[in-house]
Amino acid sequence: MLKIEYTYKFALPKSTVWTYIQDEDVLRNSLPGCKSFEEITSDVYVAELGLNTGPVKGLFAAEVQQTDQIPPNSYRLHVKGKGKPGEINAIAEMFLEETGDSTEVACIAEVEVTGLLAAVGQRVLGGVAKVILGQFFKAAEKEMVKVIS
């Protein structure tokens, strides 16, 4: 079990981040390597991601579900992904905290991996996960700014 902690500071108010961090279009345009992304039932999405970061290369089919939402403070993400390099099964706790005119989002995730991904090693995989999270949050912030302007 790999534990990943990541924090990102949005230069946006908490209500904006809460609204758009769960918006289908913002998510589709922000997920690194996103080939497709659609909601199949309320708060359950299927996605196809082409990832090419470090040793994590390949096409992944993923299902993402948001649960335990406490607007606008927190929610839980369940992610199951499968691809040539292996499988990913993760649960991430997402916490939003307003700090002045910005919002800090903390992500605490527990990730299980199989296949080639497991062979890579936790330290390397943890670093790759943080790069991907950074790319996602940075892109999400750009999308949010675009939508609200």
Side-chain angles (χ1 to χ4, degrees):
M1 182 77 67
L2 173 63
K3 189 166 183 159
I4 298 167
E5 295 186 20
Y6 189 83
T7 304
Y8 185 86
K9 193 171 206 165
F10 287 86
L12 296 165
K14 186 175 178 180
S15 59
T16 301
V17 174
W18 176 265
T19 298
Y20 292 106
I21 198 83
Q22 301 178 65
D23 180 88
E24 189 174 340
D25 291 330
V26 168
L27 292 171
R28 181 183 301 108
N29 294 331
S30 303
L31 287 166
C34 186
K35 308 275 185 223
S36 67
F37 186 87
E38 72 176 280
E39 189 170 22
I40 53 170
T41 61
S42 183
D43 297 325
V44 178
Y45 303 87
V46 289
E48 192 174 65
L49 306 173
L51 297 176
N52 188 8
T53 305
V56 181
K57 293 177 173 64
L59 203 57
F60 285 86
E63 183 179 287
V64 180
Q65 181 178 13
Q66 297 177 350
T67 62
D68 304 322
Q69 295 179 1
I70 303 171
N73 301 311
S74 65
Y75 62 98
R76 181 176 288 146
L77 283 177
H78 299 265
V79 180
K80 289 181 183 180
K82 193 179 235 177
K84 206 173 193 173
E87 292 184 29
I88 297 170
N89 192 0
I91 295 177
E93 304 286 343
M94 307 293 285
F95 300 97
L96 285 74
E97 188 174 321
E98 199 156 54
T99 52
D101 56 356
S102 60
T103 304
E104 195 170 273
V105 176
C107 170
I108 301 167
E110 289 190 350
V111 184
E112 286 181 73
V113 293
T114 63
L116 243 67
L117 293 174
V120 167
Q122 289 194 356
R123 217 168 81 226
V124 172
L125 202 55
V128 169
K130 288 179 180 181
V131 167
I132 292 170
L133 282 167
Q135 291 171 344
F136 165 73
F137 283 124
K138 193 173 182 180
E141 184 170 25
K142 273 186 183 170
E143 285 297 313
M144 290 176 197
V145 168
K146 207 162 56 175
V147 171
I148 61 173
S149 7

